[in-house]
Amino acid sequence: QVQLVESGGGSVQAGGSLRLSCAASGYTYSSYCMGWFRQASGKEREGVAVIDSDGVTSYADSVKGRFTISQDNAKNTLYLQMNSLKPDDTAMYYCAAVRVSGCPMWAIATMGALDAWGQGTLVTVSS
């Protein structure tokens, strides 16, 4: 059973940076796409970034050029480096694992498709 635990959220001013971490256990990394989705108050769930077992990444247009997803397979840890943060990035961020061919972005934001997700970590960006 896959278990995911996020950390690294917090409050920053616009333009600042945060790095989120997701400690994973109970899975074989080569079997899953890993990614991050976010949920802001009053807004739809949004897939942010995904990475497949070969390290191929994909990003939502809203974060391209600012966020970087990476994984350390030796440590079973997924990361999301977030730079140039904006108030619109304020949300609860969740780490997730999914087994869908091609690791499409829609899968990481669709609860019915996910194999596992964490409890979330809150990111607040002030202007």
Side-chain angles (χ1 to χ4, degrees), residues 34-98:
M34 301 296 295
W36 296 87
F37 68 90
R38 64 188 181 185
Q39 181 83 62
S41 179
K43 295 184 179 180
E44 292 187 358
R45 190 178 308 115
E46 178 185 22
V48 174
V50 294
I51 185 168
D52 70 12
S53 58
D54 293 323
V56 178
T57 60
S58 181
Y59 298 91
D61 287 344
S62 58
V63 306
K64 275 181 183 176
R66 301 188 298 121
F67 290 12
T68 302
I69 188 172
S70 62
Q71 59 187 6
D72 185 332
N73 294 326
K75 295 182 178 179
N76 286 342
T77 302
L78 181 73
Y79 301 100
L80 185 69
Q81 177 68 42
M82 305 185 296
N83 299 327
S84 302
L85 282 161
K86 304 175 181 179
D88 281 350
D89 295 318
T90 296
M92 189 72 82
Y93 284 72
Y94 298 85
C95 168
V98 64

